[in-house]
Amino acid sequence: MSKRLPYTNKDVDYDNAKFRHRSFIQAFTQSLATSNLKRDCTSCSTGKFLLLLLVFGLAYVMLTHTSPGPIVSDNQAIGDGKSENNLITKGRITLKSLLRRPPRLPPRLPPDSKSSSNKIGHVNQDVGSVWTTRQKKVKDAFIHAWSGYKSYAMGFDELMPLSHHGVDGLGGLGATVVDALDTAMIMGIDEVTAEAGSWVEAHLAKRISEKGQVNLFETTIRVLGGLLSAYHLRGGEKGMNLTNAGPEPDVYLDIAKNLADRLLSAFTSSPTSIPLSDVILRDSSAHPAPGGLSSTSEVSTVQLEFNYLSSVSGDQKYSVEAMKTLDHMKTLPKVEGLVPIYISPHSGQFSGENIRLGSRGDSYYEYLIKVWLQSGASHESNTSYLYKMYVEAMKGVKHLLVRKSIPNGLVFVGELPNGLNGGFSPKMDHLVCFLPGTLALGATKGLTKEKAMLNNALSFEDIENLKLAEDLAKTCFEMYSVTSTGLAPEIAYFHTEEFSEQGLEGGNKSSEYVNDIIIKPADRHNLLRPETVESLFVLYRITEDPKYREWGWQIFKAFEKYTRVETGGYTSLDDVTYVPPSKRDKMETFFLGETLKYLYLLFGDSSVVPLDKFVFNTEAHPIPINLKK
């Protein structure tokens, strides 16, 4: 039985009255009943006689008329299928058939509503082509950024796009080359993959053996992470083999092992499980940073890379040394799961009371959940303590650091610069915009929200964290849209009941949140950072809400408008609140390694580097999950 249409019988009768079929006799009798002839004929006896004769004649014709009628098979029977209820039997029209109601036809649709299913398909196809076009523009931007680097800074760590030269600010290992390599693979740009891969094969091993001081954290996330990701994407052990361009995958793995062997001295030279900050590559020695302290985020953000290297090399020394740090940090006292931003490699204890999710604190929280996911996300595994630390920390964030701005209630994450007993600061680094993506990933473990709900895999706390992730993502986007350039500052403050400063708006007077966000003169620079688009990418993959794509597109257009350098490359900005903005003459490696990669993936198919099969290290290099399982 067909389903009833979603409106009442009365509506059906009304809608279809003008479409009902009427026989000649029905039309004639209705016309007779409503015409002046009725009054003229019935006013005399002759007329009455003729009218009566007509009625009897019509009745005789209908009762005695027969016709072949349609042939109705058993499976085509009308009504409930019982033969005695059929209105047409043995080719004879019965009185019951004459009294039946006319058939109800479905409402006639206007011409532009026909074939709605096809139209929906066309709409989806059109939407898909829009995002394919936009993804192509991101790919073009990457090629433009690489062309500037290749022309003026090939082999240097970073490009100075305005002055057309390169600079080594990260130890001289060609960081932009390695950071960009897997982005080119994912985008399918074989020419760039070949150029970057050939440089790595020809030059990087020699530089590793000759260079001096590098930072353990920066070198691990950019260079080691980039090499390992390239190894997998090029077809290393159980790898994806996205391209045949460049050297064989073992080239990347061999160089990664050479680099990691030297970086291990940061762990082995330390008197505790907390590694030293800096490494001298050429002699595999290590020393602490000036002042003797290490950043909490730095020492706890090397485990994904070292774990994966142990997995593919078969040598567990890398994972063992790196995981000692997290094992030790598990035992240290915390403030509702939150930790200070400095830690001493000499005492193994946290130093100071400054608690924040911005610089020096951010990726500690990110790697708690990601290292657990990398190991297979099992509550029975030997890394399950990391998930518990993550859950406790997020509760602490919600209790101690999350506030709302006035007058419009933007949700933001502040700081406790003097610890729990000090004052709250409504300061939020752009770096904190990693948190929406991390919260969403922690809630669904990389599955879409819909699939996680179908699997009954979301707890109340997961749903709460996902809601917070969406609220924070909106705040991060508004940090862009509130400025004159549409690009976010490095640091923002939020107007609260306790904190207010006048005359420090972002410049976009049409923004609804112009009075909620405060941007101080020293914080107005933009370094082409990826954290917001990273979270938009993760949230789009998980919620499938197209607004995150639209927000990403707005950000990309602002990068194109104000940071693109026509001779090649993109530049950082000094002040995002004025147009035209002054420029800084620096293209950070993460613009190619992270920002453009996340935008490309945001606009593309969600099956490419899926979140339930990969974790992205803090430099956006995808690392496969639980490879050995």
Side-chain angles (χ1 to χ4, degrees), residues 152 217 296 356 379 446 466:
Y152 305 116
F217 163 74
T296 299
R356 68 185 184 213
H379 293 286
L466 192 54

Side-chain angles (χ1 to χ4, degrees), residues 365-438:
Y365 304 96
E366 177 188 358
Y367 269 41
L368 289 180
I369 189 66
K370 287 186 174 179
V371 174
W372 178 70
L373 289 172
Q374 180 193 36
S375 68
S378 170
H379 293 286
E380 307 301 323
S381 71
N382 58 5
T383 62
S384 60
Y385 72 92
L386 296 174
Y387 181 71
K388 295 175 183 176
M389 290 168 68
Y390 166 80
V391 170
E392 183 186 9
M394 293 305 102
K395 289 179 179 177
V397 168
K398 288 182 284 188
H399 182 216
L400 300 176
L401 302 182
V402 172
R403 298 284 195 280
K404 284 188 177 182
S405 68
I406 59 173
N408 294 302
L410 283 176
V411 177
F412 68 94
V413 175
E415 301 180 357
L416 296 174
N418 297 303
L420 185 59
N421 298 320
F424 175 84
S425 172
K427 169 179 173 282
M428 180 169 160
D429 292 0
H430 184 276
L431 288 166
V432 180
C433 289
F434 85 92
L435 186 58
T438 296

Side-chain angles (χ1 to χ4, degrees), residues 78-386:
I78 300 172
D80 61 4
K82 295 179 180 179
S83 60
E84 62 268 27
N85 290 333
N86 287 346
L87 302 180
I88 302 176
T89 58
K90 298 181 180 179
R92 184 173 68 251
I93 299 178
T94 67
L95 181 60
K96 186 175 181 180
S97 71
L98 295 174
L99 298 177
R100 75 181 188 272
R101 298 180 67 183
R104 294 175 181 174
L105 302 176
R108 181 173 294 179
L109 300 175
D112 59 353
S113 298
K114 293 181 179 179
S115 303
S116 59
S117 60
N118 290 336
K119 187 174 182 180
I120 291 172
H122 287 309
V123 169
N124 290 339
Q125 186 176 6
D126 291 342
V127 170
S129 65
V130 166
W131 291 109
T132 299
T133 300
R134 292 177 176 181
Q135 189 185 47
K136 173 64 164 55
K137 290 185 181 297
V138 176
K139 184 175 180 178
D140 291 342
F142 176 85
I143 292 171
H144 182 76
W146 175 261
S147 69
Y149 173 78
K150 178 185 173 183
S151 297
Y152 305 116
M154 191 67 181
F156 286 92
D157 284 334
E158 295 161 317
L159 166 67
M160 311 289 280
L162 302 180
S163 53
H164 295 169
H165 69 272
V167 62
D168 283 334
L170 294 164
L173 299 181
T176 291
V177 179
V178 189
D179 244 358
L181 181 54
D182 63 357
T183 306
M185 290 180 174
I186 290 169
M187 291 183 176
I189 311 173
D190 283 351
E191 182 179 354
V192 175
T193 300
E195 291 168 350
S198 296
W199 186 92
V200 167
E201 183 176 29
H203 302 286
L204 187 53
K206 184 173 186 292
R207 291 202 180 191
I208 289 170
S209 65
E210 294 178 352
K211 287 294 181 180
Q213 179 175 307
V214 297
N215 176 266
L216 168 67
F217 163 74
E218 297 289 0
T219 306
T220 297
I221 65 170
R222 301 187 198 221
V223 183
L224 183 60
L227 289 168
L228 293 173
S229 179
Y231 167 74
H232 181 79
L233 298 179
R234 179 66 176 85
E237 183 180 353
K238 299 182 181 180
M240 296 178 68
N241 199 20
L242 291 184
T243 179
N244 291 319
E248 293 299 311
D250 283 347
V251 170
Y252 299 126
L253 181 60
D254 290 343
I255 296 173
K257 287 191 291 185
N258 179 20
L259 176 61
D261 287 340
R262 297 167 191 269
L263 293 177
L264 278 178
S265 62
F267 297 90
T268 57
S269 300
S270 174
T272 68
S273 297
I274 304 303
L276 301 175
S277 172
D278 299 312
V279 173
I280 307 299
L281 289 177
R282 60 175 168 263
D283 59 11
S284 299
S285 62
H287 60 81
L293 298 177
S294 294
S295 296
T296 299
S297 63
E298 292 189 1
V299 302
S300 57
T301 311
V302 295
Q303 286 72 25
L304 283 178
E305 299 81 357
F306 279 76
N307 286 347
Y308 180 61
L309 180 56
S310 282
S311 176
V312 295
S313 69
D315 192 337
Q316 294 305 305
K317 66 182 180 183
Y318 307 108
S319 178
V320 167
E321 291 297 333
M323 289 302 293
K324 282 180 183 178
T325 301
L326 294 180
D327 289 340
H328 173 74
M329 295 176 84
K330 171 183 63 176
T331 68
L332 299 179
K334 304 172 183 65
V335 180
E336 297 189 28
L338 306 179
V339 296
I341 62 173
Y342 289 106
I343 191 167
S344 169
H346 300 289
S347 68
Q349 300 296 310
F350 289 118
S351 179
E353 296 182 288
N354 192 340
I355 292 174
R356 68 185 184 213
L357 269 68
S359 60
R360 302 187 182 279
D362 49 0
S363 50
Y364 162 79
Y365 304 96
E366 177 188 358
Y367 269 41
L368 289 180
I369 189 66
K370 287 186 174 179
V371 174
W372 178 70
L373 289 172
Q374 180 193 36
S375 68
S378 170
H379 293 286
E380 307 301 323
S381 71
N382 58 5
T383 62
S384 60
Y385 72 92
L386 296 174

Side-chain angles (χ1 to χ4, degrees), residues 434-496:
F434 85 92
L435 186 58
T438 296
L439 281 166
L441 192 63
T444 72
K445 319 304 183 285
L447 300 175
T448 64
K449 179 182 178 181
E450 180 181 21
K451 187 172 183 180
M453 293 183 74
L454 287 173
N455 294 346
N456 199 27
L458 292 182
S459 66
F460 175 80
E461 191 166 22
D462 290 331
I463 294 172
E464 187 180 66
N465 285 348
L466 192 54
K467 176 63 167 61
L468 177 59
E470 297 202 68
D471 289 342
L472 289 173
K474 176 175 174 56
T475 299
C476 290
F477 174 68
E478 296 302 338
M479 287 167 62
Y480 283 76
S481 62
V482 79
T483 71
S484 299
T485 59
L487 293 170
E490 179 72 0
I491 298 169
Y493 288 77
F494 290 84
H495 182 195
T496 65

Side-chain angles (χ1 to χ4, degrees), residues 37-58:
L37 182 60
K38 174 184 175 182
R39 292 191 298 271
D40 295 340
C41 292
T42 57
S43 62
C44 65
S45 59
T46 304
K48 292 178 181 178
F49 173 76
L50 291 174
L51 180 60
L52 186 61
L53 183 62
L54 177 62
V55 171
F56 278 106
L58 291 173

Side-chain angles (χ1 to χ4, degrees), residues 430 475-489 506-511 519 524-526 528-529 532-533 536 550-563 573 575-581:
H430 184 276
T475 299
C476 290
F477 174 68
E478 296 302 338
M479 287 167 62
Y480 283 76
S481 62
V482 79
T483 71
S484 299
T485 59
L487 293 170
N508 179 11
K509 300 296 184 182
S510 65
S511 170
I519 306 175
R524 294 177 176 174
H525 51 288
N526 180 287
L528 310 173
R529 285 201 186 276
T532 293
V533 295
L536 297 181
E550 293 293 347
W551 291 354
W553 177 244
Q554 295 303 316
I555 292 171
F556 174 73
K557 287 194 298 182
F559 277 131
E560 282 291 288
K561 185 173 183 179
Y562 292 111
T563 71
L573 303 178
D575 191 337
V576 296
T577 67
Y578 285 96
V579 174

